[in-house]
Structure formats: C-alpha cells, structure tokens
Amino acid sequence: MAARSDAAATPGPNDGAFMSFNVVRSSPNIVSVPLKHRESTPRQIYDRQSLLEIGNAHKHQLSPAAIEKLRGLCILLKPDLETVASPSDAIRTKRRRRRCERGRKRGKRGGIRARLRANPTRPALPTLMLSNVRSLENKLDEIQLSRSTEHEARDCCVFVFTETWLNDKTPDSAIQLHGLTCCRADRDSSLSGKTRGGGLCVYINKEWCNNAAVVTKNCSSLVEFMFVKCRPFYLPREFTAIVIVAVYIPPCANPKDALRELYSAISEQQTNNPDGFFIIAGDFNHANLKSVLPKFYQHVNFATRGNNTLDFVYTTNKNAYRAEPRPHLGYSDHISVMLIPAYRPLLKLTKPVQKQITVWPDNATSALQDCFQDTDWNMFKEAATYNNQTDLQEYTETVTAYIKKCIDDVTVTKTITTRANQKPWMTAEVRRLLKIRDEAFRSGDKAALKTARADLSHGIKKAKHQYAQKINNNFSDSKDTRSLWQAIQTITDYKPLPQASDDDTSLPDALNHFYSRFEIQNNTPAQKLHTSPNDQVLCLSAADVRKTLSRINPRKAAGPDNIPGRVLRECAAQLTDVLTDIFNTSLSQAVVPTCLKSTSTIPVPKKSPVSCLNDYRPIALTPIMMKCFERLVMHHIKSSLPNTLDPFQFAYRPNRSTDDAISSTLHLALTHLEHKDSYVRMLFIDFSSAFNTIIPQQLINKLNLLGLNTSLCNWILDFLTGRPQSVRVGSNTSSTTTLSTGAPQGCVLSPLLFTLLTHDCTAKFSSNHIIKFADDTTVVGLISNNDETHYREEVAQLAKWCGANNLSLNVSKTKEVVMDFRRNSVDHRPLTIDSSAVERVSSTKFLGVHITENLTWTTNVTSLNKKGQQRLHFLRRLKRASLPPPILTTFYRGTIESVLTSCITVWYGNCSAADRKTLQRTVNTAAKIIGAPLPSILDIFLARCSSKASSIVKDPTHPSHNLFQLLPSGRRYRSIKARSVRFLNSFFPQAVRVLNSNLPAPL
C-alpha cells in the first residue's frame, strides 16, 4: 500500500514545542513522525489513540500554531484545548437539529434510506448483509475497516457469512468484532465427511439486539444451517421474534435431500415461533427453497457469482426487503448482498376506521315480537286496495317501512372507532379507568394517581379474564362451528383485506355504468306471455313460508331495505301471514314489487392488485325477504323440470359436483386415447359476464318450452326486468340505474336460470361432448385419424349459438389443451373463433384443478401444497394458544385437509411418488403440530373413491351410472379394461376396484 505524506508538527520531549514533520501512515493505528528540520531533534511516535487523547484533553500543552496546524491536517478534533475544562466536556455529543435546519419539509416521506439513517438501530426489520467470504479470518480487517468508515456497515443489524472455513482451533476471541455478538457454526468433519470448507457465522449488532441466542445448528454432508433467535429492542407488534437462519448447501449435495432436511428444521421452529419473522439467508447454490416452502418469498434478483444467482434470502413477507449488490469481500468470488428493509408495520399502514353499528338490547327481540303480534296487518292491504285491486307496490312498501320503523324503535345506533392496535379485551370500563388515570396525572395529585393506577391495573386484569373466558366458552361445543371459527379467528388475529377503497368517490358511479354496459345490447322488448284460463297459478302455503323464514341465516348482510335476517327469523310466527299474502299476491299478478327486486351491488376484487374495472366482480345484495321468496319459487321450478334435462350439466343438481364434471371429462378423453391414432382437443370456454347478458324474453320462451306454467314465466320476466341497481363502495353509493338485462349475481334464482338458458347447448356430433358446470363450459373433441372436421364445426356451431343467446365469448381468455401421446404426432393447426386464434396452452385451470396436456399432476399438487403450507401458520398459532388436539384437528380438517384433498378422486390415482410424498409431508407436519395422528392422503383417497362410487351406483340419472355394471353373479362389478397405466389409475377404474375390494366375501 502506498504511503501518504502530509506536513505536520511534533512536540519535543522537554520543551513541548512542535516542529515541522512528515506523517507516514504505516498501519491502520500507528502514525510515524520522522523529523525534517533538524536531525538532532528526537522523534516521537503517536498511535491513533494518543492523537485522539491530544484532541480531547489538555494534558499536552500545545502552541496555538501547532494546534491550528494539526487541525488543518484533520488530526486534532474540533474542541479547543484552551476552552475545555475537563475531558468529559470534550466528548462529542449529538446536537439536536433545529426545525429551521431540516433538509426536508415536515410531512414529507423521507424514504427507506432516510428512515434508516434517522433510526439505524430501530428498523421494522433488521438490515442484513449476506456474503460468501471464503475464509472469514483474513476478511476481518476489511470488515472492521468498513464498519469504521461506512455508516451502512456500521449501522447494519445482522451480518450472515457463509463458507467461513473456521474450525475448533480458532477461538471466539480471534473473530470477535467490536459491538457485535458472534454466533458461529463450524463444519464438523465427522458429520460432514469433509475436513475443509463450509462453516457459518452470524454477527448481531448489539445496538439492535443484545439477547441473540443460537436455537439449533446442523452440519451434514447435505446442508449446514444455524438458527439464531433475536428479540430486539424494537419489534413491530405483529411479530414476537426475529429468527435468522444461515444456510450453506454444498454444490455437490443433492438439492432435494438437502431441502428436505432444512424443511424439517424450519417447520419445527415455525411451530415453536408461530408469530416469529423468519429470515433464511445463505448460499443455496442450485437449490430452490420455494419447492418445499412455497409460502416464503425470495428477494435477491441479481447474479451473485458470475452470471448465476447462488446466494438467496427468503422471508415470509413479499415486500419485506429490497436487495442491492455490494462489492466482494477480499478475493471472494461471490459479491455481497445488502438487504434494506422495506416493510411497513401494520400499525402505520392501517388507519382508524369509524363505523355505525346497531345494538340490540336484551329485551329488543321480545318487544319486537309483541309489536308484530298486536299489529293488524290487514289494514295495510286495505289501504293499498283500490276498486278491488291491490296495489302490490304500495302494499309491500308500507309493510316493509313499518317493519323497519319498529326495528328502529327497539334498537340503538352507535358509532365506534376501530384501530389496528386495539386490544380485543378493551372495554368501556377500561377506557373509563384510563381517563380517570390521565386526569389524575394532569392534576398532579399523587394520591389520586396512585389509586387510579391501581384501579386501572385491576380493571385490565378483569377485562382480560372475562375475554379469555369468552374465548374458552366458544370451544366448549365442537358442534357449534360458528363459535368455533370465531374463536379461531380471534386467536389467529386473521383479518381479511378490505375489498375496495372508499377514497375514490367516483368509483361507484364508474362501476355502476360498467356493470350496466350490456343494457344497450338488448333490443328485445319484454312482453309477457298470454295466460290461458286453465293456467294454474303457483300458491305458497303459510307452513312453507314459515319454514323458510325460520331457516334464515341471521348473519347474512341485509339488502337495500335494511331489514336484518334475525328479525325475519325471530319473528317468523308473527310475519308469516302478511308475507305469505304478499308472495301469493305477487304470483297471482305476475308482478314483483320494485322494493323487493332492487339491488345494492358490492364490488369484490377478483385479484390483487386491481388494475381495471373488470377486476371487480359484482355481488348483488337483495332484500332477505326476497331471497326467501326466490327459494320457494326455485323449489317449485326444480320439481317441475324433466329428468332428461342435459345430463352433462353438473351444476345445481343433486349428487353432482365438480369432481363428477372433471372425472367425466377426463374419462371421455382417456377412453378415446386408448384407441390407435387418436388424440383429444379440449376447449375451455370463458364467457364475458355470463349472468349479466341474459335476455329475459329469450329465457322465458325456453322455460315455457320446458313445461313451466305461463304465470310463473311471466313472474320471472317481471323479476328480471325493471330492476333498480346501485353500487356501494364503503360509505359511497352511486346513483340508481334501472336494468332489464341479465340476472344479478347473488340472487337465489340466477344460477338456476342460467343453467336453464343453456340447457339446449348440446353437442351436435357424437365424437364431441360439451361439459357444463354453470357458466364453465368445456368442449371435448375426440379426434381420430387427424380428422378435425367435426370438432371445428362443433366449435363454430357453439359460437353461433352464443351469438343467438347474447352470450359473449371471451376469446382472449379461452384456452385450448391438446392431449396427443402419439409418437409421430403432427403440428396441430390453431383453432379460430370469430377470426381470432385461440391460445393453446400446456396447462390450464378447470373447476379448480390444473389440467395439463401430458395429464400429469405436479402443477396441481404444487398449487394445493402451497395453500396448505400457508394455512399451517394459523395451526401453529392455535397450538401456541394451548388449544386441545380435538379443536386443532377440526381446524386442520376444515382449512388444510380440505385444500390438500380438493377433487382428490380426480388426480391422486395418477400422481407421481414425489407428489404424494410432498402432500404427505404437509400432513405429517400438521400431525406433529397437533400432537395426534391424522389420516393419510391415501386413506382419504380410498374412502372418497368408495363414497363417490356408491353414490353414483345409487343414482340411475347420473351420466356415469352405466360404468358400474354388476357381473352375472351379482357380487362384483365388471372391471373397466385399460391398456395404459394412465387410464388404469384414473377414477372410474379405481372406483370399480375399490368397490370390489369392499364387497363382503361370499359365504
């Protein structure tokens, strides 16, 4: 290193005078002072500490000229030696900056770096430096120099170093750095089989955390890792600890085996620290942690060694960090990675929310029942009757207004404020005690303050005890699922994200206009059918109406009339007669009152983040009274439909589910693929707002052909036309628009009416099949000898049918999958719809299941396992709350097992061994958390196969009923012949084998 020469002065040993000299920096801490003016003058050498003492103390009497000279060379510090009274007065203190000296205006965000500089030791998450050092000992000087000269390294909270090459011969004191806590995990040759290389070291800044502790460490030939648990001085409320995991996977190790070993350790620590924030950093080489822990997010997005990214940092939060490259340490071939925290605590992100709630006093329900019991409901009908004709609109409006007025008389409306950090046990009594404590503090009365503090402490303890007792009572009855899930939601602190922001006041009107865009396409006027004198009008009985009212879910949101479901349910006996009369009058007049068919549409985001208006799904809130009316009408319509109605429509029919739709689709394809020179093309059709494009006049014409009476068809026509609609986003509501097109999503009748509209959408050719589940439609083309004529003509016919029925095909979202297992397969010509080419994909999602062109299920299993892994976090939270195993098992079966086994009869038979192990690994992890055995995935598959097959056998109307044929002996079912393992392991051949194995043996 080249020497740097400067001019300076040196004091003589006797007279204290300073002479001119050259300063040569020969080492980081020693300053050599050779004499220049007279060789006879002795030389004096000062180290760095001595010069600091000269600058801060007055024990060396220096001349003013020497002082100025040393200050000019930046060797002496700023304090003047003549004015310093004591060494303690010369210590530099951080002066508080005046407001006028601020470089940034108040209220302006300073950004991540500005926040870190303002509070370097109090970040929401620790700043972290990751580096593969390749021998730590010879990098210590460079690390120490960086920490002394660079504020970023000095303020860094955590250093993670891999390949430290340390061993037991290196003492801790040799690698200790000032102000840092050292945690090391050296390579053990007896465990790893290697004597050189490896090793991990984690340094924790003591100003950030002074209680870091090594939880566990591991060294093997596959992976080396070390867990360090930190509880820093400052930590966001949502986290209980910071768990730092240093990892090194050698390049020669098997990635799958190494990740499996690492997964077990991480899963165990997640169980012990369910609310901890995990930071997994290290040299992973070519291993991908997301393959076993899909919940974690990777933050390093640049190459760390040449053109490859080998050093990764994983956390459980997607926006936790921003990674930036830093120079190599020494001659290491890996660059360093600096992780700058970008996480914002929930308390700072969430603003206080004010909302109005309705409080029901203890005697409100009984008072309301007495009020309705004493009401003469006939006077409302008499007041709305003119010339022996009842004005149904006026009759219904007066009745609903009276019910609402009675509700307002017995209830109380309050405004509450909800904050992100609000404790669930906080009560009005505790708030009152807080105010008393604050008033006593401001008054300066010590005796009153002491009493107020004691009362507040007792009040908080009492509130916590009452809240804990309330939570425990929810777990007393495992059959009360609502109370059970409420308690689970409270313990896990699960809060769904807000659906839409109400800051944009123009959003409701924009959405309302967007949802009503199909109104201009309806050029067909609505005309009621001519009713014959012999037409029988549907008449509802009071018993059916009362039964429907008593089954109302009281927790459902009220419609535009603001009549809650609990009123209709609790007062069913008092309201049955008047509501039965309104319903029957509506059916006889074939008119639906406008106040009952008005809708308040709530936009629900389809995905996050929302980029356009089409990303909001319109969910209509209609009066609960009307939902009961629709439910009664729907029961009558279903009983009137013929059994031969489109067997391949699997929605809203008994003993039908998505499993049946997917299994039937795959069975058609696999059966055809057994033949020579054959392949299958599947077209997954997407409709644009299918429910909103229904033309009511076309619908009732089809309903009339299906055999529904004319008066009911006219009633449905009036139900779908002249509907007032408004959009509500938060506290903002749009203007009202009247619609006569479509069926609102959220109505009870809408799904059934759509299936009846599409009942005549059937395949024209026997080689094609159209599988439908509500608006999810799939065309299965069974093609032989490369002849696609019938398939393409079928698609063209379907497009023509959609145009005639005002259904808009979204070609951009319509996908096609070609399943061709022939050795000499040819390039398949793209399919076109309305001159637009349909995109061919290798995988698509059909009714929640990923279908691939090679009929493998790795993509589907990976997706399901990722969802299951995410829900394990809540299971760990419940375990930490000391819930008993039965409650944990209930939670597991409802939230994790239901996800892992979704449509399991469809795909598990053809799963690979690796996919089965992946799912079973998640089940085993859940079993360890619960502390009780859980059914394996295989057992669940066999049980559901048996149950599904038995239900199909008992249902002669099921389209797959003929696949289960008894042998002449009547004891066993005929096996389905299969040439390929792919078909042999599919659902229906498996189901036949399961049924045969479960049949009792002959005597």
Side-chain angles (χ1 to χ4, degrees):
M1 182 175 179
R4 188 184 64 182
S5 300
D6 299 299
T10 180
N14 299 323
D15 56 7
F18 271 66
M19 308 299 292
S20 178
F21 65 97
N22 284 342
V23 178
V24 180
R25 188 176 297 272
S26 58
S27 70
N29 298 322
I30 303 298
V31 178
S32 179
V33 188
L35 187 64
K36 265 268 185 165
H37 287 275
R38 286 184 296 179
E39 297 182 359
S40 59
T41 304
R43 293 185 299 174
Q44 189 167 352
I45 298 176
Y46 297 93
D47 60 7
R48 182 173 180 270
Q49 186 63 29
S50 300
L51 290 176
L52 289 176
E53 292 176 357
I54 293 175
N56 293 329
H58 63 285
K59 62 182 179 179
H60 295 274
Q61 299 297 329
L62 306 178
S63 63
I67 292 175
E68 293 300 327
K69 196 69 174 178
L70 290 176
R71 284 179 181 173
L73 295 173
C74 298
I75 295 179
L76 284 184
L77 301 179
K78 287 294 183 181
D80 195 342
L81 300 179
E82 297 177 353
T83 60
V84 173
S86 63
S88 60
D89 295 338
I91 298 176
R92 290 185 299 173
T93 59
K94 186 175 180 180
R95 184 172 60 89
R96 190 175 184 86
R97 186 172 54 184
R98 296 180 181 177
R99 181 173 299 181
C100 60
E101 295 177 351
R102 293 181 182 273
R104 187 182 303 274
K105 293 182 179 179
R106 296 182 65 88
K108 298 292 184 179
R109 289 189 61 184
I112 298 173
R113 295 183 180 277
R115 290 197 299 270
L116 284 178
R117 290 193 179 186
N119 294 298
T121 60
R122 293 191 58 188
L125 294 178
T127 53
L128 186 142
M129 175 75 77
L130 170 64
S131 180
N132 184 316
V133 293
R134 296 178 62 84
S135 180
L136 178 62
E137 280 189 285
N138 55 21
K139 308 294 191 306
L140 290 177
D141 290 342
E142 185 175 351
I143 297 172
Q144 191 172 3
L145 179 63
S146 299
R147 295 194 71 243
S148 61
T149 58
E150 300 175 4
H151 73 87
E152 184 179 70
R154 181 173 57 251
D155 298 334
C156 185
C157 301
V158 179
F159 295 87
V160 177
F161 298 129
T162 60
E163 286 203 82
T164 57
W165 296 1
L166 300 177
N167 51 46
D168 54 0
K169 297 180 181 179
T170 306
D172 292 342
S173 58
I175 59 172
Q176 188 65 48
L177 295 175
H178 179 69
L180 301 178
T181 301
C182 177
C183 303
R184 55 188 286 189
D186 302 339
R187 171 171 287 182
D188 191 337
S189 58
S190 61
L191 298 176
S192 63
K194 299 179 181 179
T195 58
R196 299 185 60 184
L200 301 167
C201 190
V202 176
Y203 287 98
I204 307 297
N205 195 329
K206 293 181 180 179
E207 293 185 0
W208 173 72
C209 174
N210 64 353
N211 58 2
V214 178
V215 179
T216 182
K217 59 178 68 175
N218 176 79
C219 179
S220 67
S221 59
L222 297 174
V223 61
E224 301 176 29
F225 57 80
M226 176 176 57
F227 287 76
V228 180
K229 183 178 178 180
C230 303
R231 177 72 182 177
F233 300 110
Y234 172 77
L235 192 62
R237 189 184 299 272
E238 54 268 25
F239 304 129
T240 57
I242 302 293
V243 181
I244 301 166
V245 186
V247 180
Y248 174 67
I249 299 179
C252 59
N254 187 334
K256 292 185 178 180
D257 296 338
L259 292 175
R260 191 178 298 113
E261 189 173 341
L262 180 61
Y263 166 81
S264 300
I266 294 175
S267 178
E268 181 180 356
Q269 293 304 319
Q270 283 184 316
T271 304
N272 298 334
N273 304 278
D275 294 331
F277 186 83
F278 282 75
I279 304 174
I280 306 174
D283 185 356
F284 287 81
N285 279 297
H286 299 289
N288 183 11
L289 186 65
K290 289 182 70 67
S291 61
V292 293
L293 288 172
K295 180 183 176 182
F296 282 76
Y297 299 93
Q298 206 280 122
H299 300 284
V300 181
N301 54 4
F302 49 82
T304 59
R305 181 186 177 188
N307 296 326
N308 301 319
T309 304
L310 305 181
D311 302 278
F312 298 110
V313 178
Y314 297 89
T315 65
T316 52
N317 189 284
K318 185 177 182 179
N319 300 317
Y321 282 103
R322 188 181 69 204
E324 294 184 359
R326 293 294 183 266
H328 309 71
L329 281 179
Y331 291 100
S332 174
D333 55 354
H334 292 245
I335 66 172
S336 301
V337 180
M338 186 68 189
L339 275 299
I340 300 175
Y343 180 79
R344 298 285 287 173
L346 296 180
L347 182 61
K348 296 182 179 180
L349 289 177
T350 308
K351 298 179 180 179
V353 179
Q354 287 189 346
K355 61 179 180 180
Q356 288 187 342
I357 61 172
T358 301
V359 180
W360 287 75
D362 296 337
N363 60 344
T365 301
S366 59
L368 202 59
Q369 291 174 347
D370 295 339
C371 178
F372 292 154
Q373 186 67 36
D374 299 335
T375 300
D376 182 11
W377 297 102
N378 292 327
M379 65 177 182
F380 295 101
K381 186 173 183 180
E382 293 174 358
T385 302
Y386 307 96
N387 300 325
N388 297 326
Q389 183 69 26
T390 302
D391 187 346
L392 184 61
Q393 178 68 25
E394 181 181 348
Y395 181 24
T396 308
E397 285 182 350
T398 53
V399 169
T400 55
Y402 176 75
I403 294 175
K404 187 64 175 66
K405 188 260 181 188
C406 294
I407 295 173
D408 294 338
D409 291 342
V410 300
T411 57
V412 179
T413 303
K414 291 185 177 180
T415 301
I416 62 173
T417 303
T418 305
R419 295 177 175 84
N421 63 338
Q422 182 171 330
K423 297 296 184 181
W425 44 262
M426 181 67 70
T427 61
E429 178 65 18
V430 176
R431 293 190 182 93
R432 186 183 68 82
L433 295 175
L434 276 171
K435 290 182 179 179
I436 295 176
R437 193 273 312 269
D438 295 341
E439 291 175 358
F441 175 77
R442 287 191 293 267
S443 65
D445 189 348
K446 294 183 178 180
L449 178 61
K450 183 178 180 180
T451 305
R453 291 178 63 184
D455 294 341
L456 177 61
S457 178
H458 293 312
I460 292 176
K461 289 181 180 179
K462 183 180 178 180
K464 287 184 177 180
H465 177 74
Q466 292 176 349
Y467 179 74
Q469 189 64 34
K470 178 182 177 181
I471 297 299
N472 293 334
N473 292 337
N474 289 338
F475 292 108
S476 59
D477 185 9
S478 59
K479 295 182 180 179
D480 187 0
T481 56
R482 178 177 179 269
S483 298
L484 187 67
W485 288 112
Q486 277 186 342
I488 290 174
Q489 183 177 1
T490 303
I491 292 176
T492 57
D493 197 25
Y494 174 75
K495 296 178 181 178
L497 295 176
Q499 299 298 336
S501 174
D502 55 354
D503 296 335
D504 188 1
T505 57
S506 63
L507 181 61
D509 287 311
L511 287 171
N512 197 21
H513 179 73
F514 179 74
Y515 293 149
S516 59
R517 66 188 185 279
F518 299 102
E519 191 70 20
I520 59 176
Q521 301 177 8
N522 185 6
N523 298 323
T524 305
Q527 295 181 355
K528 294 185 178 181
L529 303 177
H530 178 70
T531 306
S532 63
N534 298 328
D535 187 71
Q536 187 176 2
V537 179
L538 173 62
C539 183
L540 304 175
S541 65
D544 292 339
V545 173
R546 182 171 181 176
K547 184 178 180 180
T548 304
L549 292 176
S550 61
R551 292 182 176 180
I552 291 177
N553 186 351
R555 292 170 295 277
K556 292 293 184 180
D561 58 353
N562 291 325
I563 298 179
R566 64 176 297 178
V567 173
L568 299 177
R569 177 172 178 170
E570 298 294 337
C571 304
Q574 293 78 22
L575 298 176
T576 295
D577 293 337
V578 64
L579 294 184
T580 302
D581 186 56
I582 291 176
F583 293 167
N584 287 328
T585 304
S586 174
L587 291 170
S588 62
Q589 296 182 5
V591 173
V592 179
T594 304
C595 60
L596 291 186
K597 61 183 178 181
S598 61
T599 61
S600 179
T601 303
I602 307 298
V604 177
K606 300 178 183 179
K607 61 180 182 179
S608 180
V610 174
S611 58
C612 61
L613 296 178
N614 196 34
D615 290 340
Y616 288 102
R617 178 178 285 106
I619 302 299
L621 290 181
T622 57
I624 298 179
M625 189 185 305
M626 188 61 198
K627 290 182 183 292
C628 297
F629 196 2
E630 292 179 69
R631 196 166 285 111
L632 293 167
V633 174
M634 182 182 65
H635 179 73
H636 173 75
I637 293 176
K638 287 184 175 181
S639 63
S640 304
L641 295 175
N643 293 329
T644 58
L645 184 66
D646 192 6
F648 286 106
Q649 174 57 269
F650 290 89
Y652 316 112
R653 304 184 69 176
N655 197 27
R656 306 288 194 277
S657 64
T658 56
D659 297 54
D660 299 277
I662 303 172
S663 297
S664 299
T665 303
L666 293 178
H667 182 74
L668 291 171
L670 291 171
T671 305
H672 182 69
L673 290 172
E674 293 288 289
H675 300 92
K676 185 179 180 181
D677 197 18
S678 61
Y679 61 95
V680 177
R681 298 187 76 151
M682 287 189 184
L683 182 67
F684 299 91
I685 295 175
D686 183 84
F687 294 109
S688 297
S689 302
F691 283 23
N692 296 334
T693 59
I694 297 176
I695 296 180
Q697 190 65 42
Q698 293 181 350
L699 174 62
I700 65 166
N701 292 335
K702 292 187 178 183
L703 297 180
N704 193 27
L705 295 176
L706 287 174
L708 269 68
N709 53 13
T710 306
S711 60
L712 185 57
C713 292
N714 290 335
W715 183 90
I716 294 176
L717 178 64
D718 192 82
F719 168 71
L720 295 177
T721 55
R723 293 182 292 104
Q725 172 184 282
S726 61
V727 176
R728 178 162 56 90
V729 179
S731 59
N732 301 321
T733 305
S734 69
S735 57
T736 303
T737 303
T738 303
L739 302 179
S740 296
T741 304
Q745 298 185 45
C747 291
V748 176
L749 279 175
S750 296
L752 177 62
L753 295 179
F754 182 83
T755 59
L756 297 179
L757 175 70
T758 60
H759 81 279
D760 57 344
C761 180
T762 56
K764 179 180 179 181
F765 302 97
S766 60
S767 60
N768 302 318
H769 300 272
I770 298 180
I771 310 296
K772 293 175 288 185
F773 194 94
D775 59 338
D776 289 298
T777 305
T778 303
V779 180
V780 182
L782 310 179
I783 301 170
S784 301
N785 301 322
N786 294 324
D787 186 7
E788 299 181 351
T789 305
H790 289 174
Y791 171 71
R792 294 181 179 274
E793 187 175 345
E794 190 75 64
V795 174
Q797 185 73 18
L798 177 62
K800 183 178 179 181
W801 180 92
C802 291
N805 289 271
N806 199 40
L807 290 177
S808 176
L809 281 174
N810 191 346
V811 183
S812 61
K813 292 186 178 180
T814 298
K815 309 298 180 184
E816 186 184 33
V817 175
V818 179
M819 301 172 183
D820 191 354
F821 295 96
R822 298 176 298 173
R823 294 182 179 179
N824 299 322
S825 60
V826 297
D827 293 335
H828 302 281
R829 291 190 299 117
L831 183 69
T832 58
I833 299 178
D834 296 334
S835 302
S836 299
V838 177
E839 181 185 2
R840 178 186 171 184
V841 295
S842 59
S843 174
T844 189
K845 202 170 185 180
F846 175 47
L847 298 178
V849 176
H850 291 270
I851 305 292
T852 60
E853 61 182 2
N854 56 2
L855 292 179
T856 58
W857 301 102
T858 300
T859 304
N860 185 66
V861 169
T862 302
S863 176
L864 297 179
N865 187 61
K866 179 179 180 180
K867 294 180 181 178
Q869 287 281 347
Q870 291 174 343
R871 286 158 174 79
L872 285 177
H873 166 73
F874 298 104
L875 185 63
R876 294 184 175 99
R877 293 282 299 271
L878 297 178
K879 176 66 175 180
R880 189 182 182 189
S882 302
L883 295 186
I887 301 299
L888 297 177
T889 304
T890 302
F891 177 82
Y892 163 78
R893 299 197 65 179
T895 60
I896 301 176
E897 182 183 278
S898 60
V899 170
L900 297 178
T901 61
S902 176
C903 297
I904 190 173
T905 57
V906 174
W907 48 264
Y908 188 81
N910 278 310
C911 267
S912 64
D915 292 337
R916 297 186 181 188
K917 289 181 180 179
T918 299
L919 294 174
Q920 190 59 41
R921 191 183 303 120
T922 303
V923 175
N924 295 340
T925 302
K928 291 180 181 179
I929 297 173
I930 296 173
L934 297 174
S936 65
I937 298 293
L938 178 60
D939 294 339
I940 296 174
F941 166 70
L942 295 177
R944 293 195 184 177
C945 273
S946 178
S947 175
K948 175 61 68 176
S950 300
S951 63
I952 295 175
V953 169
K954 296 176 183 178
D955 185 6
T957 62
H958 198 283
S960 303
H961 176 76
N962 58 351
L963 297 176
F964 297 88
Q965 299 178 359
L966 282 171
L967 293 172
S969 63
R971 296 176 178 175
R972 295 174 61 86
Y973 292 95
R974 188 181 303 278
S975 298
I976 299 176
K977 295 182 179 180
R979 295 174 54 191
S980 63
V981 178
R982 181 173 50 247
F983 183 36
L984 182 66
N985 292 333
S986 63
F987 167 65
F988 289 107
Q990 284 262 26
V992 171
R993 293 197 296 272
V994 171
L995 285 182
N996 289 336
S997 63
N998 293 338
L999 289 176
L1003 298 176

